[in-house]
Amino acid sequence: MDQKTGAPLPAGVENSQDQWPAPDMSILEPEQLPPPQLSEDKFNTIFGSWADWIKHAAHAKGSPAPYVTSGLMTSFASCIGNKFVVRVHSGWEEPIALWMINVGEPSSNKSPGLDAAIDGFTPLKQAAVKYHKEELADWNAASDVAKSHLKKWNIDAAKDPSIAKPKEAIQTPKPHQKRHVLQDITIEKVADILSKQSASPLLNRDELAGWLSNMGRYSNGSDREFWLEAYGGRPYTVERKSQDNPLNIDRLLASLCGNIQPEKLKEVLLKSADDGLTARMIFLFPEPVKPSITSPNYDLSLIEAALKRLDDLKPHIDPHSEKFKPKLLTLSIAAEETFNSYRLRHHEAAKGLSGSLASHTGKYPGLCLRLAAVFTFADWAISSSAEEPTKISDSAIQRAIMFIDHVIYPHAERIYLASDPIADSATKIAKWILDDAKMEITARQIYRAKLAGLKRQDETTKPIQLLIEAGWLNRDRGSKGSVRYHVNPAVHAIGSQ
């Protein structure tokens, strides 16, 4: 039998160790693509007026520039989300929210990179706390007056039920403190916040793995469903037994940033259902930077001022219902042509993809619009223009496409191609063969060992074929039709070295 393919050997030819090919030992450590490198010119083109700020902040924080970028872009997106949507045509309005995740080993300065931009929210948080404190004092005073009127009305109404409740006896809702950045929070609390403010928040999860793993642990999957919807900006209702009334959210939308280690991300991607949650995330996995002797400062006041200007933007408020509605951003004629060309190119390129990477890239057309909107407002936030943007330019669309082509997609390949479930199962089987000094195995033994995370015995077929192609196994059918796999003796000889 041919040791490479498992096909029968010509008559008279027997198996021998000399016929085994040299085993590919790299299957023990699946190859990962190197981190993509972005040229100086492309970096400056993509990030425009913010390019130098990102470089200085990255240097000051000792972080790779992509880590700073994720915090910056998601911060901007959260400030304009729910205030604007990108309108392509009457049937397509793209909300503005970004989910960007820093991937790296411990101590690679993921969190400091995120903080460079998120620290810019501090003055806004402080102002919100101060304003809420003042509002609450006024509300408490008015509440005492209302209670006094209500008490008097209750006495009067007991004598004469025809007396109507005076408006002075009606308490107004307790004032809400605006939230900009959320961290460890339940979906009930997020729903409560979003039912009381139009601004979309930024969810900052320093340890994303725990957040993803705990989803559904106490809610039968409703947490995962909630966050899936939080990418789309649609109406949503949260109903729980602990609540008397449902929480109605006009537009459920939130941006997300966070950090995760490569091995933990791999586990998450391999174990999670392909429901589109992780497919919505932009993963950035750069090379760590070397420590620098110099520790320059970066201009924190610039990001503070930019976030303040974006936070001051307002959605359209319906004068009759008093409900908010996002304002429309439309594409310029040139931007529309460029975007349509990109969609056609993307459609053709996607035909060669499958699995989780295909699910992820399927979000790119909408992502292109979101990125273009963020670039548009990022530039406006530090410009002298008084009029808020209403159009997305061709330049903004081209920058978004360049960001996807040269940054987002190469990082996605680096992540997803190293998280292939078939290759992962083959690696686990290979390690089991070495650890237990196996010279012969069966699919049933692999399944019963539960070492490859396979739910059915027939799911072992593709990982085993991968090991045959790697020169680790050959297939042998017994006289009664049973199939066994012989192990290449060389793998033990090499593995013991």
Side-chain angles (χ1 to χ4, degrees):
M1 186 173 291
D2 185 278
Q3 314 297 329
K4 180 75 173 177
T5 65
L9 292 169
V13 179
E14 298 179 355
N15 290 332
S16 73
Q17 185 169 340
D18 294 338
Q19 294 164 356
W20 283 100
D24 181 1
M25 303 301 287
S26 68
I27 203 163
L28 294 169
E29 297 293 337
E31 183 180 358
Q32 187 162 57
L33 294 173
Q37 302 297 320
L38 191 63
S39 70
E40 187 84 4
D41 287 344
K42 284 188 172 66
F43 186 92
N44 292 336
T45 299
I46 292 170
F47 297 108
S49 51
W50 284 94
D52 286 340
W53 186 91
I54 294 171
K55 295 173 193 173
H56 294 154
H59 192 186
K61 295 292 186 178
S63 298
Y67 291 167
V68 175
T69 299
S70 62
L72 184 71
M73 297 290 285
T74 53
S75 294
F76 287 155
S78 72
C79 284
I80 58 179
N82 272 347
K83 299 174 184 176
F84 295 85
V85 293
V86 183
R87 183 169 188 170
V88 182
H89 51 68
S90 60
W92 186 357
E93 291 184 357
E94 188 70 27
I96 303 169
L98 294 176
W99 292 5
M100 301 181 72
I101 309 301
N102 292 340
V103 182
E105 301 293 347
S107 302
S108 57
N109 283 350
K110 299 184 293 295
S111 296
L114 273 184
D115 292 342
I118 296 175
D119 284 347
F121 280 108
T122 300
L124 290 175
K125 294 179 187 176
Q126 293 171 342
V129 170
K130 181 181 178 182
Y131 182 69
H132 179 252
K133 188 176 180 180
E134 294 169 354
E135 271 197 317
L136 196 58
D138 292 342
W139 180 82
N140 284 327
S143 180
D144 289 340
V145 173
K147 288 176 182 177
S148 177
H149 282 285
L150 180 63
K151 182 178 180 180
K152 182 178 183 304
W153 174 77
N154 283 330
I155 295 172
D156 294 342
K159 299 175 182 176
D160 183 0
S162 65
I163 298 176
K165 182 189 288 188
K167 62 179 182 179
E168 294 84 3
I170 300 174
Q171 278 190 309
T172 58
K174 191 173 183 179
H176 163 73
Q177 181 181 324
K178 184 177 181 179
R179 305 296 208 281
H180 296 88
V181 181
L182 309 177
Q183 291 175 306
D184 189 8
I185 191 168
T186 63
I187 65 168
E188 289 90 349
K189 187 59 181 176
V190 177
D192 180 59
I193 290 169
L194 287 175
S195 68
K196 296 173 182 175
Q197 69 179 50
S198 60
S200 64
L202 172 62
L203 180 65
N204 178 17
R205 295 296 310 205
D206 190 52
E207 290 296 336
L208 190 76
W211 181 65
L212 289 170
S213 299
N214 288 331
M215 272 191 192
R217 179 172 291 182
Y218 307 109
S219 60
N220 296 321
S222 60
D223 281 21
R224 198 172 182 93
E225 176 191 334
F226 178 88
W227 288 112
L228 275 165
E229 293 294 331
Y231 190 79
R234 300 178 185 87
Y236 195 84
T237 300
V238 175
E239 297 194 57
R240 290 285 170 88
K241 291 180 180 179
S242 58
Q243 300 166 346
D244 294 332
N245 298 309
L247 288 173
N248 297 309
I249 305 168
D250 292 334
R251 290 177 59 83
L252 176 55
L253 189 71
S255 287
L256 167 70
C257 64
N259 302 311
I260 193 168
Q261 296 173 24
E263 282 305 309
K264 290 183 178 180
L265 174 59
K266 186 176 179 180
E267 289 177 13
V268 167
L269 292 177
L270 290 172
K271 291 179 181 178
S272 64
D274 189 10
D275 57 5
L277 185 71
T278 52
R280 288 160 167 77
M281 298 177 187
I282 299 167
F283 295 109
L284 300 177
F285 187 11
E287 195 74 42
V289 296
K290 296 179 180 179
S292 173
I293 296 175
T294 61
S295 181
N297 293 320
Y298 72 104
D299 190 357
L300 182 60
S301 65
L302 185 68
I303 185 65
E304 289 176 343
L307 292 176
K308 171 68 168 62
R309 194 174 191 202
L310 295 176
D311 186 63
D312 286 342
L313 293 169
K314 306 297 180 187
H316 172 73
I317 305 294
D318 187 287
H320 302 292
S321 66
E322 295 186 353
K323 288 190 174 183
F324 77 92
K325 185 178 181 181
K327 298 174 183 175
L328 299 181
L329 286 171
T330 56
L331 304 180
S332 70
I333 294 174
E336 188 174 328
E337 291 176 353
T338 300
F339 179 62
N340 283 334
S341 296
Y342 169 72
R343 289 182 69 197
L344 291 172
R345 173 167 67 84
H346 172 267
H347 177 74
E348 290 302 314
K351 291 179 180 178
L353 301 177
S354 61
S356 298
L357 183 58
S359 298
H360 169 71
T361 58
K363 310 297 179 188
Y364 283 2
L367 177 61
C368 178
L369 297 171
R370 294 173 184 231
L371 291 169
V374 171
F375 287 140
T376 298
F377 279 94
D379 292 344
W380 175 81
I382 52 174
S383 73
S384 58
S385 175
E387 294 186 8
E388 60 190 43
T390 59
K391 288 276 185 184
I392 291 181
S393 68
D394 184 47
S395 171
I397 288 289
Q398 289 191 36
R399 290 163 63 190
I401 293 170
M402 187 179 292
F403 190 29
I404 292 172
D405 287 348
H406 296 282
V407 179
I408 296 174
Y409 181 71
H411 279 279
E413 279 193 310
R414 178 164 155 80
I415 293 293
Y416 284 104
L417 295 184
S419 304
D420 176 63
I422 296 172
D424 184 71
S425 294
T427 297
K428 291 177 180 176
I429 295 170
K431 290 179 178 179
W432 171 67
I433 288 171
L434 286 181
D435 291 344
D436 289 11
K438 298 286 187 182
M439 293 305 300
E440 188 179 86
I441 62 172
T442 66
R444 181 174 178 78
Q445 288 173 339
I446 295 170
Y447 168 69
R448 294 183 69 178
K450 303 295 183 184
L451 53 90
L454 304 172
K455 297 179 181 179
R456 302 192 312 271
Q457 186 171 325
D458 59 1
E459 291 178 348
T460 62
T461 303
K462 290 182 179 179
I464 288 173
Q465 182 59 35
L466 203 59
L467 288 167
I468 291 173
E469 292 171 0
W472 277 63
L473 304 175
N474 81 329
R475 186 172 181 270
D476 187 24
R477 185 176 292 276
S479 57
K480 296 183 179 180
S482 61
V483 177
R484 307 188 73 81
Y485 299 91
H486 300 290
V487 177
N488 186 342
V491 303
H492 294 294
I494 298 171
S496 63
Q497 292 177 358

